[in-house]
Amino acid sequence: MHNQFLKTDPWRLIEERYDAQRMKSSESLFALGNGVMGGRANFEEQYSGPSLQGNYIGAIYYPDKTRVGWWKNGYPEYFAKVLNSAFWIGIDVAVDGEPLDAARAEVKEFYREMDMRRSVLTRRMRVVMPGGAEVTVEAVRFLSLERRELGVIRYSVTPLNRAAEITFSPYIDADVRNTDANYDEKFWEEVSTDCDAVQSRTKKSGFEVAWAQAVALEGAAFSCETEPERVRQTATVRCEKGQKATLYKYAGICSSLNHAPADLMAAARGVAADGLRTGFDALLKEQEAAWERRWHGCDIVVEGDDEAQQGIRFCIFMLLQTYTGVDTRLNIGPKGFTGEKYGGVTYWDTEAYCLPFYLATTGERVARELLVYRYNQLDKAIENAAKLGFRDGAALYPMVTINGEECHNEWEITFEEIHRNGAIAYAIFNYIRYTGDHAYLAEYGLEVLLSIARFWAQRITWSEARKKYVMLGVTGPNEYENNVNNNWYTSYIACWCMRYAAEAAAWVRTNRPDDYARICSKRSFDEAAETTLWHEIDANMYLGEDPELGIFLQQDNYLDKEQILVKDLDPAERPINQKWSWDRILRSCFIKQADVLQGLYFFQEDFDLETVRRNFHFYEERTVHESSLSPCVHAILAAKIGDMEKAYEMYLRTARLDLDDYNREVEEGCHVTSMAGSWLSVVEGFGGMRMADGRLTFAPRLPEAWRSLTFKVNYRGRVLTVRAAHEGVEVSNEGEPVDIALYDTPLRLEAHAAQTEK
Amino acid sequence: MHNQFLKTDPWRLIEERYDAQRMKSSESLFALGNGVMGGRANFEEQYSGPSLQGNYIGAIYYPDKTRVGWWKNGYPEYFAKVLNSAFWIGIDVAVDGEPLDAARAEVKEFYREMDMRRSVLTRRMRVVMPGGAEVTVEAVRFLSLERRELGVIRYSVTPLNRAAEITFSPYIDADVRNTDANYDEKFWEEVSTDCDAVQSRTKKSGFEVAWAQAVALEGAAFSCETEPERVRQTATVRCEKGQKATLYKYAGICSSLNHAPADLMAAARGVAADGLRTGFDALLKEQEAAWERRWHGCDIVVEGDDEAQQGIRFCIFMLLQTYTGVDTRLNIGPKGFTGEKYGGVTYWDTEAYCLPFYLATTGERVARELLVYRYNQLDKAIENAAKLGFRDGAALYPMVTINGEECHNEWEITFEEIHRNGAIAYAIFNYIRYTGDHAYLAEYGLEVLLSIARFWAQRITWSEARKKYVMLGVTGPNEYENNVNNNWYTSYIACWCMRYAAEAAAWVRTNRPDDYARICSKRSFDEAAETTLWHEIDANMYLGEDPELGIFLQQDNYLDKEQILVKDLDPAERPINQKWSWDRILRSCFIKQADVLQGLYFFQEDFDLETVRRNFHFYEERTVHESSLSPCVHAILAAKIGDMEKAYEMYLRTARLDLDDYNREVEEGCHVTSMAGSWLSVVEGFGGMRMADGRLTFAPRLPEAWRSLTFKVNYRGRVLTVRAAHEGVEVSNEGEPVDIALYDTPLRLEAHAAQTEK
């Protein structure tokens, strides 16, 4: 399965061969991001081969009118999508007047590298032009992590077989479209175009963005051409054979998220000019320093498995490129900044998978921003629930959103895949459990929790027939079932939410009376009455079990299905989501992604090992893992029950999913949120990290193939390093003393000390 | 609720007032049709007020690419829709050069009439033009029932207050679009345009149609102007004050369904020229004679309730206009020829509601054509099932179709509302039971039945947990539930289908051995093995019942829902499909349309009266009747159990649905298929007509308000007339002697004799 195209290297992605058929995949894999913007690894110069242009600015979206066969009440009117924005990297190149286009030249050598240590993309190629000129090209590009509105390019051309005139036309093209547009609309309109800068506005949503370029080419002066939405400067230099001509391009990219629209052109020009003044080398140094800080406390070292090493670093790197926690309007789209798919918008992936990653790697401030993002959208979530008929401040967070409004438009998801509400509450719990920051409840958390609990209390209904509370019409995480009754996971997390909201209310009442009074008034919260109802529902909730099999029932009637196992499926029929009709999938027992097991993972402390083992075996045999978010949960639970072979098998399915392009779809973009799952499967699976009894605990167990695993985590202001080998485990602490547990044995880890255990 | 706008009249729709706001509704109600084409009652002359242009030719469709949020395997690629076609009725009129447009003139008098006895639309109006000229206009239009490709118009203008020059520009405009187009495409393209005729082709589907006009205006010669897709002839006459100018327009409309494309222009011109030669008065006589024959054997007379009289005649009339059984490529779209909605394509409405109407009113030949339509699409139904993963010649008929391919694109309908397969089998049974034409099984029926039975045998699966056969993932007739398990109606009809297919096979084997051999070979039918499986499933099928309530369970978990009754719903929240979110509707216990009761209606002989009564009371209290196809079944069952008040209430909801525009949507078109339901509620409800023990039986019970009810039915070559009054019932027979039953008492009705019973 290993991708022969990419070279295995611990810190770099390397591609050493030009292949037009792989171009779109590589554009995804080599994508750059600095947390606020990003883009695919398109070439700067003209490229007429297959390519998906993509440059994205976080939170700049367009409400694309939904496409639906038969509209029904409560369906969202639009799908907000982060847009493909101006192609700011453009540099057309001509050699003796002949345009450079790798698709039309003979590519003699090709080298592309992403240096993950510093987020710098380098490309070198040697080509023979149709007219016979042979040149080398080197392009180095990065998005500054230090200066979030700056993009930097150094672009060199060297004629190899003769002297030549090299023409550089650095340009910005804001006349771009989305491939994914429901009605083939163009989403941008021009505001103004000038010699070195262009400003555009998104239709309907009215965001404005200006892009400016400052360019330098030794010994040459630029002329300028503009047409609407396009800026282009051109200069020509003569190079002797073997003499290199180097263009520097600094792009300022400023949006109305951070500037007044009237100031945007000036702001973008200012950023670009500052870049030019500072110079490429100094900016690169800044970049290296910023990324060194960024990597602090989150690296993973795997000894004995180079592919695993590269795979996990790539996951961490992509997550670090995608989200930095500087702006609560930003979040993590399933594809990050690597493609258009899923519209760059927020799913429950963030809370269920990404939050633990950021919590443990980038520290609590960054993770907290993710929670505040949802807090800021609470009133929209209440509106969303009201549109469906819920009352009294009940909140239903959207399945897909960018501004708090629901964007997904399949009823079986929008209305029914409501477990997302649980994940959002769980993230608050998870954050506080890990950080100890109970004050978060008083500031933001309780309002969200009580609004979610209110939703569950209305969504769950009393069944007179069963004399139990039931939850009807649900889609669980396993989207290969729709509209089922009593989905165990959803019902379980709903009850947990109500209990936790009640606890949270009591904590705030006791510890932060002023906040409590403010919240009660703002949210018309009647703690006594509401929590009584919550406890009543919790105590009488129907949760399906099969006593004979000793398992929790994914949903009512699940055992009525024909019980075929994944191992008995004809491999030619997989993946079933490509080979089978949706009808057949829905009626089969096959599970797309962890469902009951997701609950056993979230609530590990509630279940003994035997329960986990029985459920794991039953459901794992029926799970096809056709969501990239599935195997990580199975990996963690398999490690927990000591099935290291299965854990490793599951880990392998996530770790190099994109690098090895298992699903033949990486050209659409990378599975960024599921990379957090890969991290979880290493740290929580093989590292055995979890919170238990208020302590961070580790219980490493390595796959056979690995010599050692070393990972770092941020924990309450300290960086802990866990090094696990087959011979033993060492945990070291760069900060103040801290109480942890190793294989369930409590221990105090002194400052700057290590503890070793066999 | 009575519509004050329309005058109550037994044989006519009459409108006596001009109201621009009502124009679209009246265009639907006054629509014309001759079974092969039809159109809305648009004005001939220019009209700039709100209007929905609509002229439809049966079976001329376009495959409109489906609009879907997230495509999944098995979804249909297009929705075939019968198209709005050329506006052939056009006659622009100018008075002294000033265009006549009722929306821009002062309308002093207005009269519109549909004569349902002969299908002739008449409009008279007196207007004062902006320039001061006062004129009367009279337009008489019909679609010839005798000459199915001919449309006829007589159009007169009389200046009232001064002499005037009247200009007539009869035209055909083929540059038309559908309002309902998923991507705003134009569906037609020009083939050729000539002085008096135009020919166009539908994109993708490649149907061709030519329209030609032959016009006459005494004392005037026409000039001609053409532009692509538009034909226009113009002539002017001078009229003294009070002198009438009369234009005759004959339009030939010929399609490639019936002619070679190259011959179309000539054919259309021939039809128009023949019309001109025959002349308006003779054509009108033909029309009257043809419609007199058409009404023979299907009228209903209600004494004591003029609104009911008009309502039921309107229903019959619309059904007679929509389908005549001359062409097996035609069927009955939910809106007939009265609007674009539902694309003019075939639903299960045809088999469940329309077939019994045509069977009893127009005779078995017409009804048989409807069955053959499905027979002709059997191979497509097998393909349709195969796309979903079914094997071995299992057939799933589409939910929506025109050419046999599935067009609906919601999975919960397409894949799950599979009871339609049952209705198609039931129609065969129903046809044979009524006509005694068992030979139909050998010719066509058995192939369809065994293919449907094969589908059920695969769709039903064994539940190891229940030790029963179950049917999972179903949507019943009640579309306010989706993806339920063990929908009673669907499971019941599926079992019945398997039993009936087995019986049919035995009948053909015994009675028509040659056909049997042919069918076994053609369909690879292994009777012994397959029918054994069918009986095994039938014998061990799970059918939900609640013993305590004594009812059949609409589906698993239905009683887990909060059991709120319709009477307790706030009227402001109705109709719930407008006031509630789809989420809330799905999770409520409210029923859109008869579901269990549909089964009790179809299989009346299987259930005793007490069972019907218990189920009726339980489900009627929960049914909101938000499908126009619902109340008729309730009306019939209510009459059956003697609840005449409820029967009448239900009947009222269907009888004048469109005339009184209960749902404020008649402007989109009339509910043509549900008009068959209205007929059923009168004839099977109040007339108590049904087949029992092989006899046609009647058991009339009148609503209090009616003095008498007289209805005619075609039965095995005879026309029977049933006249029921509160004093007694008389059944008379225009044909050969026949055995029937009256109130379950068998009797022989002699030729041309009547039988009376108190």
Side-chain angles (χ1 to χ4, degrees), chain B residues 22 79 188 308 344 353 419 421 439 560-561 567 628 702 716:
Chain B
R22 280 201 42 96
F79 193 114
W188 292 96
Y353 304 97
H419 64 80
N421 240 14
D560 275 340
K561 297 187 164 217
K567 69 177 169 54
S628 62
L702 295 199
R716 302 193 179 184

Side-chain angles (χ1 to χ4, degrees), chain A residues 411-412 463 482-483 560, chain B residues 411-412 463 466 482-483 560:
Chain A
W411 63 267
E412 59 273 26
S463 164
N482 284 154
N483 198 38
D560 275 340
Chain B
W411 64 266
E412 60 273 26
S463 164
R466 278 188 216 231
N482 284 156
N483 197 39
D560 275 340

